[in-house]
Amino acid sequence: MPQIQQLPAHIADLIAAGEVVERPASVCKELLENALDAGASAVSVELEKGGLTYLRVTDNGCGMAADQLPTAFLRHATSKLRTASDLAAIHTLGFRGEALAAISAVSRLDVFSREPSSDAGARLHLEGGVPGEVTAAGCPVGTTICVRDLFYNTPARMKFMKKDSAEGAAASAVVTQLALSHPDVSFKLLRDGAEVLHTPGNGELLPAVYAALGREFALSLLPVSGSNGDVKVSGFVTKPLAGHGTRARQLFFVNGRLVKSQLLTAAVEEGYRNRLLKGKFPGCVLHITLPADAVDVNVHPAKTVVKFVSDKSVFDAVYHTVTSALDEEGRPPKPAEKPFFQAMTAAEFRARPDAPAPKNAVEIPAGRAIGSAPARTYTPAPVPAPVPAAPVLEVRDVAPEPGKPFTAPAPRPGTVYHITPPAAAAASEPEPMPEPEPEQQAIEMPDAPAREEAPWRIAGEVLKTYIICEDGDGAVWLIDKHAAHERVRFDALKASPVPPMEQQLLTPAAVTLSGEEYGAVLENLPLLERCGFRCEDFGDGTVLVRALPDDVPAAEAASTLEEMAQKLLLQRADPETLRDELLHTIACKSAIKAGMTSDVTELAALVRRVQSGEIRYCPHGRPVAAKLTRYELEKMFKRA
Ligand code: ADP
Ligand code: MG
């Protein structure tokens, strides 16, 4: 019968050490966390050969008394837990009193430490965890721990080490992450003698991001900040044009700890929906803080998994913080008061004492009205009702069908319904009619208090594609009219709870598709109908299009359906994304085209939306406008 024996202490220590210390990066993490726990305001890390031969962490924290040094290296020795109730902290903060014991067990280690109250420091050397004598040593206040020859006594572990460069990179990543989670601490990292990171530790995140992740990344960021109840979000996200090829530049810190979280990733990416080029991912450095009992962070060195008590409130906090920053981006700074159309209803606005006599009709000059069927006359509805939030440009004629009771269409953002007589029935309709579009009223009333900023002057259009204008600050803007209009159309389509207005084709268009496309279309007939396309199976790979959105040219029926079929094929994912994709196609097909002659009123409407900051990118994420400052122009002509 085999003899049962207790493992010799040093074997037990080595086994335990294997769990805590996997590679130089984990040593780095433990030592840095100790330094931060010790209240350091500056820490430095030096690595040689990826940290395997030499890894030194120096801090200016509270230090340790000479007589405490050997104790710190005993297993389960910690100054951070005193009562059983602190035990909960083991899970959340990882105080296990094992790090120093484990690291010293698998290396040759020197510690130098001095408390602020002490005139001199002390030094201790440990070899494979076995301590020597504590001796006096001249050293500054704080602690320096120098780890040499990591895993010299555990060759099996040593075999698992990657190349020095890979180990060094992993250790650097740890320093970077901690630097980003502690902007109030100055971090310095030297690799093989060269300084690769140095953060100022002035409490501001951006300089830390700049130092840790580089100038280019830092310059591509927008600040964000927001909260949802107890959940606070702050930090930076990349501007939509600065999308990355991978998610590597998405860093989330929950209560100061770096975590990986699909929920947080999804919340950020959802915020960028329709703003990023395909295949690009946003980058971010986001700090999420919430009460300790609302989150469970498992801090095993290898795992940074986080669980939230309320996923939804965290998702919403991040999503809304990100979207509001993206919406705000590039918008001209607003005065504190709300614009009049948000502060009062149109009825109140008309009733104000200084209101000029109302005009009932705004003539929209001939030409294709932006985003609309070719309706021309705009008559403000007589019923006072709340103003739709989004400024609207569409005007639609709605006539009751003879012999049928008239039902007003559900109000769609972005649309003004013009009811042609007989419309008496509308008065008894429970559904309030949307109010006239406030900006259009403002056209009629130049002295209305609506404009904080004079409209940009439109200098003209070039290449039948770009609108050139001049803003109030003397900068020149070039606006891609197709991209801008596509965005306007897309936003209106997306916001609408009802399908776009249909046009029936007198002769249905027969569209022959590839086998796959055909299948995809037939599977998605209801979704297509939600997008204004009424189609039916005509057999043998052919689909009949009976109706399509009224602003997609009928001649484009086949090409539009083909494009949508492609999207249905590629993106069988979630229905909302799919709908967005289809609406992209419709927006693109219905938007004014580059090369097409446009009416100046159309251009003015687009310019207004660019000026207000409402549109920045087309639905594919391409910019809608480019700005040339006076200075840039002057430089171009060598005037500056
Ligand atoms: P834990 O951090 O879980 O307490 P460690 O083994 O990492 O366990 O450290 C043991 C103890 O040594 C700590 O509780 C702390 O009192 C002390 N210590 C470690 N590093 C430092 C440091 N850099 N400055 C001051 N005290 C330290
Ligand atoms: Mg520790």
Side-chain angles (χ1 to χ4, degrees), residues 30-39 57 59 61-64 68-69 71-74 76-81 93-103 111 113 142-145:
E30 293 292 344
L31 295 183
L32 282 173
E33 284 185 344
N34 281 347
L36 295 169
D37 289 340
V57 175
D59 69 57
C62 65
M64 286 173 274
Q68 294 269 288
L69 281 185
T71 319
F73 288 84
L74 296 177
H76 309 304
T78 176
S79 58
K80 297 166 195 170
L81 284 170
L93 298 167
F95 300 149
R96 294 187 297 179
E98 278 194 305
L100 290 188
I103 296 165
V111 53
S113 197
T143 304
T144 295
I145 292 183

Side-chain angles (χ1 to χ4, degrees), residues 454-498:
W456 292 352
R457 189 178 74 79
I458 302 180
E461 194 191 344
V462 287
L463 306 174
K464 288 194 174 174
T465 304
Y466 305 103
I467 314 167
I468 302 188
C469 11
E470 179 184 343
D471 73 13
D473 302 326
V476 171
W477 290 77
L478 292 169
I479 299 169
D480 178 332
K481 69 177 181 183
H482 170 73
H485 192 203
E486 190 179 346
R487 179 83 226 184
V488 171
R489 290 296 307 129
F490 176 73
D491 286 349
L493 288 166
K494 184 169 159 61
S496 167
V498 296

Side-chain angles (χ1 to χ4, degrees), residues 378-553:
Y378 166 76
T379 312
V383 196
V387 182
V392 288
L393 280 169
E394 286 187 49
V395 182
R396 291 193 181 279
D397 284 304
V398 182
E401 281 182 44
K404 280 196 187 168
F406 175 72
T407 316
R412 303 191 315 157
T415 305
V416 169
Y417 292 90
H418 171 207
I419 300 168
T420 44
S428 59
E429 268 304 310
E431 197 100 62
M433 295 306 293
E435 265 296 309
E437 196 276 303
E439 281 195 28
Q440 292 194 352
Q441 284 203 337
I443 297 173
E444 291 303 296
M445 300 172 236
D447 54 355
R451 302 224 172 276
E452 292 95 21
E453 213 192 332
W456 292 352
R457 189 178 74 79
I458 302 180
E461 194 191 344
V462 287
L463 306 174
K464 288 194 174 174
T465 304
Y466 305 103
I467 314 167
I468 302 188
C469 11
E470 179 184 343
D471 73 13
D473 302 326
V476 171
W477 290 77
L478 292 169
I479 299 169
D480 178 332
K481 69 177 181 183
H482 170 73
H485 192 203
E486 190 179 346
R487 179 83 226 184
V488 171
R489 290 296 307 129
F490 176 73
D491 286 349
L493 288 166
K494 184 169 159 61
S496 167
V498 296
M501 197 69 75
E502 282 181 359
Q503 55 172 314
Q504 294 246 13
L505 294 179
L506 287 177
T507 325
V511 185
T512 304
L513 301 162
S514 76
E516 285 184 300
E517 290 170 349
Y518 179 60
V521 165
L522 295 186
E523 261 174 46
N524 287 286
L525 290 177
L527 174 61
L528 287 165
E529 202 150 326
R530 273 177 64 207
C531 299
F533 271 81
R534 263 191 302 117
C535 307
E536 63 188 54
D537 185 7
F538 199 56
D540 215 14
T542 301
V543 172
L544 277 192
V545 181
R546 292 205 172 272
L548 68 161
D550 68 349
D551 48 11
V552 174

